[in-house]
């Protein structure tokens, strides 16, 4: 029985301030990200040093724009979903504070959403026909996990990283190689010109029988390789290093994802998180899934990076099960996927 | 100044436990060492000793985590920061100068001049795959007291 | 005019409901470092204590800084959202100036001193003329010693306010300098409301209102240098 529920989503966990309006959990009425609105034009786009100051400036314009684009007013909103973690504390608190105050002022219920779950749910917006159950590989800057999504509010964590997240490994290797931040897209770009088979970097925990990951060994291996070359005064083919490193990450992520799919007898694999934008990973997962006749879903680009639509979507489903938050909801920067 | 050579995670855990047991509120621990040297692991064990129930993870991405134990623990990772202005922005000084909890800062060497005077420096040196040399140093009473406790604790 | 006032610029968290000549209710507490858990809950409570419905509010006033960046953002985000949702005016009240209203008396140098970390303080000096606040030493960041030296050098009756007042007062040989008692030198929602009433013609824009950082990010300074 559809009731026409309108969810306002608010997201400020990292670099983007975002707001969105979603109807009945799946229909996107608006999806606004602060970089779309020229508030800080004066500084020529995002100036990373003051990114966390940007949130307090952008929060109301972004919410207002989201409502305008959806052609509704606050009074038409039924509930307010907001990211409470993980992320940067100073950033999270802006969206959270605004959301709580809005909930109080409008007497609408508040729903605290886990940003990582939001990434998984971005796929429900990208792909209208998608329904649970499925396995999701979540790869973001700070997290790498394999989650079995049994139902809209029922998850189990199959495996996660024991040390560095994949995104973190990308950033650290990029930094050591002298590439700018963020490292993921830079390595992705550079790797296209290199040979992924040039160097055989280790793929940890490959055959240990579970679905956990470990990337700190890989990171150390790349570091050692670069150091050795430097000591011997030998030239380094950066493109080859990037390609080989990326290959090691992509291979282990794909292998474990396929194993998980088989184990849980699933036929749909869903990719989630900011690293989902990595082309090599997407390609490999798509290819391997196809080989095994699995359905493979990944979010469209605008829903891949941080956004509030995915938060509204996740919030909607949480609310249907009665998982609301009270006005004491606090930011949890270190929140992860624990079930 | 005092140094320990550890050959396993277990041994590192023992040292962290002593730190956790004797550390006073308002203390700042500056953890320094290369990628993979064990800074986050060390922090995990200190947090455990201080009865933190929640997960302790590397705040490389979110810059700061706060854990509630016997006292609050402010866990920073300055790896991604480049400017002092960013420290102001995340409220770094407010937490570090607070006498309520303890601050544990990974990659503290990036901003040595911004650390409080009585910071306890903890240096992690990688000797080989499983071995580390962990050295404690620092000026002032807080550092000296802690180093003394460490000296007594391990024998 | 019924005003909801928020003060979250320091460890003291305070919310008040006030009319021009009446403080209806206020909740003030010295809390832990983040107000994030309690602010909105306190807003709800204080309106309840004041026996007023949120729909009766005409304006929201908020402490603007300088102070704790985190605290300021929490307060400002909440204030903006409330102003937006209830379609009411918003007033940004500079923190140090608002503090001065503790001692809105003639012939007295009023000095506000708030923590700027690393042994520094935000400081500003005022005098009240015919009840109107006048800034006689504009806001800047100085060391505790400098703030102390400055106050002594003025050789006038002066009162010290703010969370750093006691620190600056240490070692001063009393004389003409007076340290306000703790309840008369702390930030309070009532003072933010007072500031708003004193400046009710100058309402702010909730879309663009920003905290007063004072300590500017190097980036801004660099940008300004490059663009002249």
């Amino acid at each position: 029985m559809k009731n026409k529920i309108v969810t306002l989503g608010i997201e400020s966990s990292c670099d983007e301030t975002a707001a969105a309006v979603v109807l009945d959990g799946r229909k996107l009425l608006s999806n606004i990200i602060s970089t779309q609105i020229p508030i800080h034009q004066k500084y020529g786009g995002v100036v990373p040093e003051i990114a966390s100051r940007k949130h307090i400036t952008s929060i109301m314009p972004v919410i207002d724009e989201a409502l305008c684009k959806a052609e509704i007013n606050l009074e038409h909103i039924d509930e307010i979903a907001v990211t409470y973690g993980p992320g940067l504390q100073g950033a999270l608190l802006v969206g959270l504070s605004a959301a709580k105050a809005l909930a109080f002022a409008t007497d609408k219920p508040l729903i605290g959403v886990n940003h990582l779950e939001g990434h998984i749910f971005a796929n429900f917006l990208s792909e209208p026909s998608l329904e649970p159950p499925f396995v999701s590989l979540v790869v973001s800057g700070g997290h790498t996990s394999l989650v079995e999504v049994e139902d809209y509010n029922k998850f189990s964590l199959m495996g996660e990283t024991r040390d560095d997240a994949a995104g973190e490994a990308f950033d650290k290797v990029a930094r050591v190689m002298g590439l700018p931040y963020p490292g993921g897209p830079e390595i992705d770009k550079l790797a296209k010109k290199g040979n992924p088979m040039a160097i055989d970097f280790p793929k940890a925990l490959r055959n240990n029988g579970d679905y956990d990951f470990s990337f700190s060994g890989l990171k150390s291996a790349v570091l050692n390789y670069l150091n050795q070359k430097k000591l011997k005064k030998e030239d380094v083919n950066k493109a080859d290093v990037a390609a080989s490193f990326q290959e090691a990450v992509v291979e282990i992520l794909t292998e474990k994802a396929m194993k998980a799919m088989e184990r849980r007898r699933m036929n749909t694999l869903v990719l989630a998180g900011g690293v989902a934008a990595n082309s090599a990973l997407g390609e490999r997962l798509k290819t391997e899934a196809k080989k095994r006749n699995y359905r493979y879903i990944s979010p469209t680009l605008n829903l891949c990076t941080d956004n509030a639509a995915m938060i509204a979507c996740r919030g909607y489903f949480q609310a249907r099960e009665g998982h609301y938050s009270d006005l004491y909801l606090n930011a949890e920067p270190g929140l992860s996927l624990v079930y | 100044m005092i140094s320990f050579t550890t050959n396993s995670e277990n041994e590192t855990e023992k040292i962290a436990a002593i730190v956790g047991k004797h550390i006073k509120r308002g203390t700042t621990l500056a953890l320094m060492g290369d990628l993979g040297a064990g800074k986050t692991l060390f922090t995990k064990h200190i947090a455990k000793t201080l009865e933190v129930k929640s997960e302790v993870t590397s705040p490389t991405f979110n810059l700061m985590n706060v854990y509630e134990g016997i006292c609050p623990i402010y866990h920073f990772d300055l790896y991604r920061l480049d400017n002092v202005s960013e420290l102001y922005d995340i409220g770094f000084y407010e937490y570090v100068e607070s006498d309520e909890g303890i601050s544990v800062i990974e990659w503290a060497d990036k901003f040595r001049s911004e650390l409080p005077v009585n910071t306890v420096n903890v240096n992690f040196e990688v000797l080989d795959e499983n071995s580390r040399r962990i050295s404690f140093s620092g000026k002032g009473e807080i550092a000296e007291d802690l180093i003394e406790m460490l000296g007594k604790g391990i024998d | 005019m019924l005003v909801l006032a928020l003060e979250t610029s320091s460890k003291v968290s305070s919310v008040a409901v006030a009319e021009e000549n009446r403080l209806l209710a206020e909740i003030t507490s010295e809390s832990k470092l983040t107000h994030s858990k309690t602010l909105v809950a306190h807003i709800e409570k204080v309106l309840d204590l004041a026996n007023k419905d949120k729909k009766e509010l005409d304006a929201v006033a908020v402490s603007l800084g300088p102070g704790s960046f985190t605290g300021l953002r929490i307060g400002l985000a909440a204030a903006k959202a409330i102003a937006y949702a209830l379609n009411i005016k918003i007033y940004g009240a500079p923190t140090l100036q608002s503090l001065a209203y503790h001692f809105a008396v003639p012939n007295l140098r009023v000095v506000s001193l708030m923590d700027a970390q690393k042994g520094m303080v935000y400081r500003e000096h005022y005098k009240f003329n015919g009840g109107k606040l006048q800034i006689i030493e504009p806001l800047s960041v100085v060391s505790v010693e400098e703030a102390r030296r400055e106050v002594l050098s003025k050789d006038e009756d002066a009162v010290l306010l703010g969370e750093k007042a006691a620190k600056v007062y240490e070692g001063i040989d009393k004389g003409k300098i007076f340290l306000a008692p703790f309840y008369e030198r702390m930030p309070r929602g009532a003072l933010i409301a007072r500031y708003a009433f004193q400046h009710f013609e100058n309402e702010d824009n909730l879309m663009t209102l920003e905290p007063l950082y004072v300590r500017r990010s190097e980036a801004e300074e660099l940008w300004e240098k490059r663009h002249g």
Side-chain angles (χ1 to χ4, degrees), chain A residues 264-318:
Chain A
R264 295 292 161 104
R265 298 174 203 274
M266 291 288 186
N267 48 32
T268 305
L269 174 65
V270 170
L271 182 60
V275 180
N278 181 290
S279 61
L281 179 60
E283 290 291 319
R284 183 70 54 85
L285 287 170
K286 195 157 145 196
T287 309
E288 294 301 312
K290 189 157 182 204
K291 270 191 209 160
R292 296 164 175 75
N293 269 325
Y294 295 147
R295 191 180 178 201
Y296 169 70
I297 312 274
S298 66
T300 50
L301 208 54
N302 68 327
L303 288 168
C304 199
T305 47
D306 292 343
N307 66 83
M310 67 189 195
I311 302 301
C313 174
R314 176 64 191 120
Y316 169 85
F317 287 102
Q318 258 177 249

Coordinates of all heavy atoms in Angstrom, one line a residue, chain A residues 264-318:
Chain A
R264 N 27.1 -17.8 -1.1 CA 25.7 -17.5 -0.7 C 24.7 -17.8 -1.8 O 23.6 -17.4 -1.6 CB 25.7 -16.0 -0.3 CG 26.5 -15.7 0.9 CD 26.0 -16.3 2.2 NE 27.0 -16.4 3.3 CZ 27.1 -15.6 4.3 NH1 26.2 -14.6 4.5 NH2 28.0 -15.7 5.2
R265 N 25.1 -18.4 -2.8 CA 24.3 -18.7 -4.0 C 23.5 -17.5 -4.4 O 22.2 -17.6 -4.6 CB 23.3 -19.9 -3.6 CG 24.0 -21.1 -3.2 CD 23.0 -22.1 -2.7 NE 23.6 -23.2 -1.9 CZ 24.2 -24.3 -2.3 NH1 24.2 -24.5 -3.6 NH2 24.7 -25.1 -1.5
M266 N 24.2 -16.4 -4.6 CA 23.5 -15.2 -5.1 C 23.6 -15.1 -6.6 O 24.5 -15.7 -7.2 CB 24.1 -14.0 -4.5 CG 23.9 -13.9 -3.0 SD 22.1 -13.4 -2.8 CE 22.2 -13.2 -1.0
N267 N 22.7 -14.3 -7.2 CA 23.0 -14.1 -8.7 C 23.1 -12.7 -9.0 O 23.1 -12.3 -10.2 CB 22.0 -14.8 -9.5 CG 20.6 -14.6 -9.1 OD1 20.3 -13.5 -8.5 ND2 19.7 -15.5 -9.2
T268 N 23.1 -11.8 -8.0 CA 23.3 -10.4 -8.3 C 24.4 -9.8 -7.4 O 24.4 -10.0 -6.2 CB 22.0 -9.6 -7.9 OG1 20.9 -10.2 -8.7 CG2 22.1 -8.1 -8.3
L269 N 25.3 -9.2 -8.1 CA 26.4 -8.5 -7.4 C 26.3 -7.0 -7.6 O 26.1 -6.5 -8.7 CB 27.8 -9.0 -8.0 CG 29.0 -8.3 -7.4 CD1 29.2 -8.6 -6.0 CD2 30.3 -8.7 -8.2
V270 N 26.4 -6.3 -6.4 CA 26.2 -4.8 -6.5 C 27.5 -4.2 -6.0 O 28.0 -4.5 -4.9 CB 25.0 -4.4 -5.6 CG1 25.0 -2.9 -5.4 CG2 23.7 -4.9 -6.2
L271 N 28.0 -3.2 -6.7 CA 29.2 -2.5 -6.3 C 28.7 -1.2 -5.6 O 27.8 -0.5 -6.1 CB 30.0 -2.2 -7.5 CG 31.4 -1.5 -7.3 CD1 32.3 -2.3 -6.3 CD2 32.1 -1.2 -8.6
A272 N 29.4 -0.8 -4.6 CA 29.0 0.5 -3.9 C 30.3 1.2 -3.4 O 31.3 0.6 -3.1 CB 28.1 0.2 -2.7
G273 N 30.1 2.5 -3.2 CA 31.2 3.3 -2.6 C 32.0 4.1 -3.6 O 31.9 3.8 -4.8
G274 N 32.7 5.1 -3.1 CA 33.4 6.0 -4.0 C 34.4 5.4 -4.9 O 34.6 5.8 -6.1
V275 N 35.0 4.3 -4.5 CA 36.0 3.6 -5.4 C 35.3 2.9 -6.5 O 36.0 2.4 -7.4 CB 36.9 2.7 -4.5 CG1 37.9 2.0 -5.4 CG2 37.6 3.4 -3.4
A276 N 34.0 2.8 -6.4 CA 33.3 2.1 -7.5 C 33.5 2.8 -8.8 O 33.3 2.3 -9.9 CB 31.8 2.2 -7.2
A277 N 34.0 4.1 -8.7 CA 34.3 4.8 -9.9 C 35.5 4.4 -10.6 O 35.8 4.7 -11.8 CB 34.4 6.3 -9.6
N278 N 36.3 3.5 -9.9 CA 37.5 3.0 -10.6 C 37.2 2.2 -11.8 O 36.5 1.2 -11.6 CB 38.3 2.3 -9.5 CG 39.6 1.7 -10.1 OD1 39.6 0.8 -10.9 ND2 40.7 2.3 -9.7
S279 N 37.7 2.6 -12.9 CA 37.3 1.9 -14.2 C 37.7 0.4 -14.2 O 37.0 -0.5 -14.7 CB 37.8 2.7 -15.4 OG 39.2 2.7 -15.3
A280 N 39.0 0.2 -13.8 CA 39.5 -1.2 -13.9 C 38.7 -2.1 -13.0 O 38.4 -3.3 -13.4 CB 41.0 -1.2 -13.4
L281 N 38.3 -1.7 -11.8 CA 37.5 -2.5 -10.9 C 36.2 -2.8 -11.6 O 35.7 -4.0 -11.6 CB 37.4 -1.8 -9.6 CG 36.5 -2.6 -8.5 CD1 37.2 -4.0 -8.2 CD2 36.4 -1.8 -7.3
G282 N 35.5 -1.8 -12.0 CA 34.2 -1.9 -12.7 C 34.3 -2.9 -13.8 O 33.4 -3.8 -13.9
E283 N 35.3 -2.7 -14.7 CA 35.4 -3.6 -15.8 C 35.6 -5.1 -15.4 O 34.9 -6.0 -16.0 CB 36.7 -3.2 -16.6 CG 36.6 -1.9 -17.4 CD 35.6 -1.9 -18.5 OE1 35.6 -3.0 -19.2 OE2 34.9 -1.0 -18.7
R284 N 36.5 -5.3 -14.5 CA 36.8 -6.7 -14.1 C 35.6 -7.3 -13.5 O 35.3 -8.5 -13.8 CB 38.0 -6.7 -13.1 CG 38.4 -8.1 -12.7 CD 39.1 -8.8 -13.8 NE 40.2 -8.0 -14.3 CZ 41.4 -8.0 -13.8 NH1 41.7 -8.7 -12.8 NH2 42.3 -7.2 -14.3
L285 N 34.9 -6.6 -12.6 CA 33.8 -7.2 -11.9 C 32.7 -7.5 -13.0 O 32.1 -8.6 -12.9 CB 33.2 -6.2 -10.9 CG 34.0 -6.1 -9.6 CD1 33.5 -5.0 -8.7 CD2 34.0 -7.4 -8.8
K286 N 32.5 -6.6 -13.9 CA 31.5 -6.8 -14.9 C 31.8 -8.1 -15.7 O 31.0 -9.0 -16.0 CB 31.5 -5.6 -15.9 CG 30.3 -5.5 -16.8 CD 30.1 -4.0 -17.2 CE 29.6 -3.9 -18.6 NZ 29.8 -2.5 -19.0
T287 N 33.1 -8.2 -16.1 CA 33.5 -9.4 -16.9 C 33.3 -10.7 -16.2 O 32.8 -11.6 -16.7 CB 35.0 -9.2 -17.3 OG1 35.2 -7.9 -17.9 CG2 35.4 -10.3 -18.3
E288 N 33.9 -10.7 -15.0 CA 33.8 -11.9 -14.2 C 32.4 -12.3 -13.9 O 32.0 -13.5 -13.8 CB 34.6 -11.8 -12.9 CG 36.1 -11.7 -13.2 CD 36.7 -12.8 -14.0 OE1 36.4 -14.0 -13.6 OE2 37.4 -12.6 -15.0
A289 N 31.5 -11.3 -13.6 CA 30.1 -11.6 -13.3 C 29.4 -12.2 -14.5 O 28.7 -13.2 -14.4 CB 29.4 -10.3 -12.9
K290 N 29.7 -11.6 -15.6 CA 29.1 -12.1 -16.9 C 29.5 -13.5 -17.2 O 28.6 -14.4 -17.5 CB 29.6 -11.2 -18.0 CG 28.9 -11.5 -19.3 CD 28.9 -10.3 -20.3 CE 28.1 -10.6 -21.5 NZ 28.5 -9.8 -22.7
K291 N 30.8 -13.9 -16.9 CA 31.2 -15.2 -17.1 C 30.4 -16.2 -16.4 O 30.2 -17.4 -16.8 CB 32.7 -15.3 -16.7 CG 33.7 -15.1 -17.7 CD 35.1 -15.5 -17.1 CE 36.2 -14.6 -17.8 NZ 37.4 -14.7 -17.0
R292 N 30.0 -15.8 -15.2 CA 29.3 -16.7 -14.3 C 27.8 -16.5 -14.3 O 27.0 -17.0 -13.5 CB 29.8 -16.5 -12.9 CG 31.2 -16.9 -12.7 CD 31.7 -16.3 -11.3 NE 33.1 -16.7 -11.0 CZ 34.1 -16.2 -11.6 NH1 34.0 -15.3 -12.5 NH2 35.4 -16.6 -11.2
N293 N 27.3 -15.7 -15.3 CA 25.9 -15.4 -15.4 C 25.3 -14.7 -14.2 O 24.1 -14.9 -13.9 CB 25.1 -16.7 -15.7 CG 25.0 -17.0 -17.1 OD1 24.9 -16.1 -17.9 ND2 25.0 -18.3 -17.5
Y294 N 26.1 -13.9 -13.6 CA 25.6 -13.1 -12.5 C 25.1 -11.7 -13.1 O 25.7 -11.2 -14.0 CB 26.7 -12.8 -11.5 CG 27.2 -14.0 -10.7 CD1 28.5 -14.0 -10.3 CD2 26.4 -15.1 -10.4 CE1 29.0 -15.1 -9.6 CE2 26.9 -16.2 -9.7 CZ 28.2 -16.2 -9.3 OH 28.7 -17.2 -8.6
R295 N 24.1 -11.2 -12.4 CA 23.7 -9.8 -12.8 C 24.7 -8.9 -12.0 O 25.0 -9.1 -10.8 CB 22.3 -9.6 -12.3 CG 21.7 -8.3 -12.8 CD 20.3 -8.2 -12.3 NE 19.7 -6.9 -12.8 CZ 18.7 -6.3 -12.2 NH1 18.1 -6.8 -11.1 NH2 18.2 -5.2 -12.7
Y296 N 25.2 -7.9 -12.7 CA 26.1 -7.0 -12.1 C 25.6 -5.5 -12.1 O 25.2 -5.0 -13.2 CB 27.5 -7.0 -12.8 CG 28.4 -5.9 -12.3 CD1 29.0 -5.9 -11.1 CD2 28.8 -4.9 -13.2 CE1 29.8 -4.9 -10.6 CE2 29.6 -3.9 -12.8 CZ 30.1 -3.9 -11.5 OH 31.0 -2.9 -11.1
I297 N 25.5 -4.9 -11.0 CA 25.0 -3.6 -10.9 C 26.0 -2.6 -10.2 O 26.6 -3.0 -9.2 CB 23.7 -3.5 -9.9 CG1 22.7 -4.6 -10.3 CG2 23.1 -2.2 -10.0 CD1 21.8 -4.3 -11.4
S298 N 26.2 -1.5 -10.9 CA 27.0 -0.5 -10.2 C 26.3 0.9 -10.4 O 25.5 1.1 -11.3 CB 28.4 -0.4 -10.8 OG 28.3 0.0 -12.2
P299 N 26.5 1.8 -9.5 CA 25.8 3.1 -9.5 C 26.2 4.0 -10.7 O 27.4 3.9 -11.1 CB 26.0 3.8 -8.2 CG 27.2 3.1 -7.6 CD 27.5 1.8 -8.4
T300 N 25.3 4.8 -11.2 CA 25.6 5.8 -12.2 C 26.6 6.8 -11.5 O 26.5 6.9 -10.3 CB 24.4 6.5 -12.7 OG1 23.6 7.0 -11.6 CG2 23.5 5.6 -13.6
L301 N 27.4 7.4 -12.3 CA 28.4 8.3 -11.7 C 27.9 9.3 -10.7 O 28.5 9.5 -9.7 CB 29.1 9.0 -12.9 CG 30.6 9.4 -12.6 CD1 31.4 8.2 -12.1 CD2 31.2 10.0 -13.8
N302 N 26.8 9.9 -11.0 CA 26.3 11.0 -10.1 C 25.8 10.4 -8.7 O 25.6 11.1 -7.8 CB 25.2 11.8 -10.7 CG 23.9 11.0 -11.0 OD1 24.0 9.8 -11.2 ND2 22.8 11.7 -10.8
L303 N 25.6 9.1 -8.7 CA 25.1 8.5 -7.5 C 26.3 7.7 -6.8 O 26.1 7.1 -5.7 CB 23.9 7.6 -7.7 CG 22.7 8.3 -8.1 CD1 21.6 7.4 -8.6 CD2 22.1 9.0 -6.8
C304 N 27.4 7.6 -7.5 CA 28.6 6.9 -7.0 C 29.3 7.7 -6.0 O 29.7 7.1 -4.9 CB 29.5 6.7 -8.2 SG 30.6 5.4 -8.1
T305 N 29.5 8.9 -6.3 CA 30.2 9.8 -5.3 C 29.2 10.2 -4.2 O 28.1 9.9 -4.3 CB 30.8 11.0 -6.0 OG1 29.7 11.5 -6.9 CG2 32.0 10.6 -6.9
D306 N 29.7 10.8 -3.2 CA 28.9 11.2 -2.1 C 27.7 12.0 -2.5 O 27.8 13.0 -3.3 CB 29.7 12.0 -1.0 CG 30.7 11.1 -0.3 OD1 30.6 9.9 -0.4 OD2 31.6 11.7 0.3
N307 N 26.5 11.6 -2.1 CA 25.3 12.4 -2.5 C 24.2 12.1 -1.4 O 24.4 11.2 -0.6 CB 24.8 12.0 -3.8 CG 24.3 10.5 -3.9 OD1 23.2 10.2 -3.5 ND2 25.2 9.6 -4.3
A308 N 23.2 12.9 -1.4 CA 22.1 12.8 -0.4 C 21.0 11.9 -0.8 O 20.1 11.5 0.0 CB 21.6 14.2 0.0
A309 N 20.9 11.7 -2.1 CA 19.8 10.9 -2.6 C 19.9 9.5 -2.0 O 18.9 8.9 -1.6 CB 19.8 10.8 -4.1
M310 N 21.1 8.9 -2.0 CA 21.3 7.6 -1.4 C 20.9 7.6 0.0 O 20.5 6.5 0.6 CB 22.7 7.1 -1.7 CG 23.8 7.9 -1.0 SD 25.5 7.4 -1.6 CE 26.5 8.1 -0.2
I311 N 21.2 8.7 0.7 CA 20.9 8.8 2.1 C 19.3 8.8 2.3 O 18.8 8.1 3.2 CB 21.5 10.1 2.7 CG1 23.0 10.0 2.5 CG2 21.2 10.2 4.2 CD1 23.7 8.8 3.1
A312 N 18.7 9.5 1.5 CA 17.2 9.6 1.6 C 16.6 8.2 1.3 O 15.7 7.7 2.0 CB 16.6 10.6 0.5
C313 N 17.2 7.5 0.3 CA 16.7 6.2 -0.1 C 16.9 5.2 1.1 O 16.0 4.5 1.5 CB 17.5 5.7 -1.3 SG 17.1 4.0 -1.7
R314 N 18.1 5.2 1.7 CA 18.3 4.3 2.8 C 17.4 4.7 4.0 O 16.9 3.8 4.7 CB 19.8 4.4 3.2 CG 20.2 3.6 4.5 CD 20.0 2.1 4.2 NE 20.1 1.3 5.4 CZ 19.1 0.6 5.9 NH1 17.9 0.5 5.2 NH2 19.2 -0.2 7.0
G315 N 17.3 6.0 4.2 CA 16.5 6.4 5.3 C 15.0 6.0 5.2 O 14.4 5.6 6.1
Y316 N 14.5 6.1 3.9 CA 13.2 5.7 3.7 C 12.9 4.2 4.1 O 12.0 3.9 4.9 CB 12.9 5.8 2.2 CG 11.6 5.1 1.8 CD1 10.4 5.8 1.9 CD2 11.6 3.8 1.3 CE1 9.2 5.2 1.5 CE2 10.4 3.2 0.9 CZ 9.2 3.9 1.0 OH 8.0 3.3 0.6
F317 N 13.8 3.3 3.7 CA 13.6 1.9 4.1 C 13.8 1.7 5.6 O 13.2 0.8 6.2 CB 14.6 1.0 3.3 CG 14.1 0.9 1.8 CD1 14.7 1.6 0.8 CD2 13.0 0.1 1.5 CE1 14.3 1.6 -0.5 CE2 12.6 0.1 0.2 CZ 13.2 0.8 -0.8
Q318 N 14.7 2.4 6.2 CA 14.9 2.3 7.7 C 13.6 2.7 8.4 O 13.2 2.0 9.3 CB 16.0 3.2 8.1 CG 17.3 2.5 8.4 CD 18.4 3.5 8.8 OE1 19.3 3.8 8.1 NE2 18.2 4.1 10.0

